[in-house]
Amino acid sequence: MSGSSVPTYPPRFGAKLGADGVRFSVWSSAASRLWVSIFDTQGERELGRIALEPRGEGVHSAFVPGLTAGARYGFRADGDYAPERGLWFDPDKLLVDPYALAIDRPCIYDPRLTARRGEGGDTAPLMPKAVVTELPAPLTPQPPLFRPGGLIYEVPVRAFTRLHPDIPEAQRGTIGALAHPAIIEHLKKIGVSAVELMPITAWIDERHLPPLGLTNAWGYNPVTFMALDPRLAPGGIVELRETLAALRAEGIGVILDLVFNHTGESDELGPTLSLRGLDARAYYRHEEDGRLVNDTGTGNTLACDHPVVQEMILDALRHFVRYAGVDGFRFDLATVLGRTASGFDANAPLLAAMRTDPDLADRVMIAEPWDIGPGGYRLGGFRPPFLEWNDRYRDDIRRFWRSDGGVGALATRLAGSSDVFVGTTQTRSVNFIAAHDGMTLADLVSYECKHNGANGEDNRDGHDENLSWNNGVEGQTADPEVTERRARDLRALLSALFASRGTIMLTAGDEFGRTQRGNNNAYAQDNEITWLDWSNRDLALEEHVAALAELRIGVPALSAIEFLTARPLPDRDVPDVEWFSEAGTPLEAADWENPERRRLTMLLDAGDDSGSRLAILFNADRRATVFALPSHSGFIWNASLPVDTTAVEGGLLVPGRSVVFARESAVEGER
């Protein structure tokens, strides 16, 4: 990162506050006229409409004297109106500034926002107004706290603290609540390296939700790229900045989940809110006949190969680094960011700029490496330093514990997925078993089928195959045997995650058994279905996760990112990993290929100065099994987790459906 606190590339666009007024600038290559509308302090009455002057190369601007911080404004644009050709100009549509730093109210869907030109009237009463904002001084650059190999904790900001009993009522569901001592204590207890905040910039509901009485709870339908949603951040960028500082002081980084693949303007039936009204043909990808490209499944796709779109995205990223101090970013449907006229390119200009920009080059970059367009699945296809969400890890771990996947796939995922991230010695995998999209971890072992009736789509939405199982009863039950089976499965799944080479990710609440009642697409459930139930959390499971976190932090090999090779590291006398059967014998080819094999021993060089090893014993069978552990001169084995594992003649008795960690300790006088 740049060694100076002075912004390297000040944005060209937006509302620039000066000593005696404000300069407004916006880009459009096709509009015939543009204006900035100025509103009163309540954002209700339009006080004036000032024409923007063309300055060349699509730039339009005007200086309005006398305006100060807090002024409300929006843009309007005129030109051809021909939606079939991707032209949507309509001066009756008030447009949010793509560079808005704050807005005065949430974006609320209204059918009048979709009206054709001349049919819907002025939309200003329906739209949030951008707010002229005086930014704080840029932060002194600091390197990210998060390092690959750590634990990322995925947080839906509103749902996370909406029901937390220790958070003041007025603060629940906000970014500021994350700085509360009770939250920080919990994050540190379970070893969180960085929280990953699901979208916090302003969003709008999809048009089918209001008639169903539903609202978007996740935020993956953006209207703005820098302005934070007032529902989550009533204090704006300062609230985010102060929260990040409080977390950083406790050793916890922050990663923002940002959406640069589509916007809430949706398809040709969607609302005109910002980019569509300014220059849809430039900001969105179109077919040659004028139809919108839908590589995202949401109706539109940002044209990330357009220089002005690239500039807008880079300016947004720099904004959050300079003024909030974020560790990095996770990019939703990140394949879109690298799409060009010929398809995905890992060296596309936008991706290359992210890797080399002075403000961004050292930030954490995480790709969700797929979209639904042609050739859109690109797992392993991004260049370093991008980390990537690894859905093959997710699926193979689920299959092993569901008993329809073998130990070969399990070992490959535990060792860092070298089959995916080729051409390097380090994994870029973000390992996860459950995320915001899909079943929760607890639901994974409690529901065989999705139960999305509350979404109002007759259970048609969401994935049909979840690789889940219910342990004999679908959904909630008081049967103690089923409850115990589920508890064992949860502990085993979490143990496998914490034993995996690479970065690991846990979605908030999965450490204490949160449920969405089998809903695997709960994006529209801003209610008790998604709000974390802190008062009824599974404390035993939470303690298990805390113990796993302590073990992972204490054993260097567990948080390393180098691929496991089965060869000794330099100056070490044991291989970095060895694989054994429960009998303590090396696995043969037939063992690796046997789909019925349900047991595996993973023997790691602990990676510290002790010279000891760590054994991780996987038993996915329902029967308890004695695992023999290979001897190592000068050391003896001791069970580390769970602590009540039974030592028997010949090894350790590993209960069914469980994972046991055992650590060598030196025998005094023998080394």
Side-chain angles (χ1 to χ4, degrees), residues 11 13-17 73 96-104 129-136 224-229 233 235-238 315-316 319-320 323:
F13 303 113
K16 303 292 183 60
L17 182 64
Y73 73 98
V96 176
D97 180 3
Y99 277 73
L101 300 177
I103 58 174
D104 65 352
K129 312 306 183 293
V131 181
V132 175
T133 302
E134 184 175 9
L135 288 167
T224 63
F225 302 102
M226 299 185 208
L228 305 181
D229 196 287
I237 189 68
V238 173
D315 281 338
H319 170 75
F320 288 117
Y323 297 105

Side-chain angles (χ1 to χ4, degrees), residues 280-434:
R281 285 299 297 251
Y283 286 107
Y284 296 116
R285 299 184 68 86
H286 286 75
E287 304 286 0
E288 289 187 5
D289 62 5
R291 290 180 297 116
L292 284 161
V293 170
N294 188 20
D295 289 335
T296 61
T298 60
N300 63 45
T301 305
L302 276 178
C304 293
D305 55 344
H306 193 290
V308 169
V309 176
Q310 295 169 20
E311 181 179 357
M312 179 180 68
I313 292 172
L314 292 169
D315 281 338
L317 299 178
R318 295 176 190 129
H319 170 75
F320 288 117
V321 172
R322 293 169 182 164
Y323 297 105
V326 300
D327 274 31
F329 308 95
R330 181 262 187 191
F331 299 103
D332 184 63
L333 300 184
T335 302
V336 170
L337 278 64
R339 281 199 176 275
T340 67
S342 57
F344 175 79
D345 181 359
N347 294 310
L350 178 57
L351 297 177
M354 290 179 183
R355 296 193 299 263
T356 59
D357 184 271
D359 286 308
L360 306 176
D362 70 340
R363 298 297 101 177
V364 180
M365 300 284 182
I366 303 173
E368 182 184 39
W370 51 76
D371 64 31
I372 68 167
Y377 185 77
R378 310 300 301 192
L379 178 63
F382 286 74
R383 285 188 54 187
F386 274 87
L387 306 178
E388 300 182 32
W389 272 29
N390 188 348
D391 62 329
R392 289 181 63 181
Y393 175 94
R394 175 198 65 197
D395 292 351
D396 284 340
I397 298 297
R398 290 185 181 190
R399 286 190 177 100
F400 177 76
W401 290 103
R402 197 175 72 163
S403 298
D404 58 353
V407 295
L410 172 68
T412 300
R413 302 298 155 235
L414 293 171
S417 296
S418 60
D419 60 329
V420 171
F421 303 101
V422 298
T424 179
T425 60
Q426 296 181 336
T427 183
R428 295 185 291 108
S429 182
V430 176
N431 301 316
F432 66 100
I433 302 171

Side-chain angles (χ1 to χ4, degrees), residues 111 128 188 191 194 228 237 260 291 398 425 471 478 489 499 523 535 658:
K188 294 178 72 173
L228 305 181
I237 189 68
F260 293 125
R291 290 180 297 116
R398 290 185 181 190
T425 60
N471 278 289
D489 285 356
Y523 77 102
S535 297
S658 64

Side-chain angles (χ1 to χ4, degrees), residues 382-500:
F382 286 74
R383 285 188 54 187
F386 274 87
L387 306 178
E388 300 182 32
W389 272 29
N390 188 348
D391 62 329
R392 289 181 63 181
Y393 175 94
R394 175 198 65 197
D395 292 351
D396 284 340
I397 298 297
R398 290 185 181 190
R399 286 190 177 100
F400 177 76
W401 290 103
R402 197 175 72 163
S403 298
D404 58 353
V407 295
L410 172 68
T412 300
R413 302 298 155 235
L414 293 171
S417 296
S418 60
D419 60 329
V420 171
F421 303 101
V422 298
T424 179
T425 60
Q426 296 181 336
T427 183
R428 295 185 291 108
S429 182
V430 176
N431 301 316
F432 66 100
I433 302 171
H436 69 270
D437 188 7
M439 286 189 173
T440 71
L441 196 66
D443 287 353
L444 189 68
V445 302
S446 305
Y447 294 88
E448 190 167 314
C449 306
K450 66 181 183 182
H451 294 264
N452 294 0
N455 296 351
E457 299 184 44
D458 297 324
N459 210 39
R460 294 189 303 270
D461 63 306
H463 295 294
D464 291 324
E465 177 52 83
N466 298 278
L467 301 175
S468 61
W469 60 100
N470 63 19
N471 278 289
V473 176
E474 187 74 357
Q476 296 180 341
T477 180
D479 186 320
E481 183 177 347
V482 173
T483 301
E484 174 57 25
R485 285 181 178 179
R486 292 175 177 175
R488 283 190 177 278
D489 285 356
L490 283 175
R491 291 194 296 269
L493 286 163
L494 287 161
S495 295
L497 178 66
F498 277 76
S500 299

Side-chain angles (χ1 to χ4, degrees), residues 180-205:
H180 192 279
I183 297 300
I184 291 176
E185 179 184 4
H186 180 76
L187 297 176
K188 294 178 72 173
K189 175 183 179 180
I190 60 172
V192 171
S193 305
V195 293
E196 181 178 295
L197 305 185
M198 288 167 57
I200 58 174
T201 62
W203 73 87
I204 193 168
D205 291 335

Side-chain angles (χ1 to χ4, degrees), residues 510-563:
D510 279 353
E511 73 274 21
F512 53 70
R514 75 180 179 106
T515 178
Q516 291 177 173
R517 308 171 196 170
N519 192 322
N520 75 351
N521 189 34
Y523 77 102
Q525 301 299 325
D526 184 14
N527 50 45
E528 288 83 358
I529 292 178
T530 57
W531 297 348
L532 272 65
D533 186 359
W534 291 89
S535 297
N536 293 301
R537 62 193 199 269
D538 183 340
L539 294 177
L541 185 62
E542 186 178 304
E543 292 300 327
H544 180 72
V545 173
L548 287 169
E550 183 178 4
L551 182 64
R552 186 174 171 92
I553 292 170
V555 179
L558 291 178
S559 58
I561 59 173
E562 288 74 24
F563 291 123

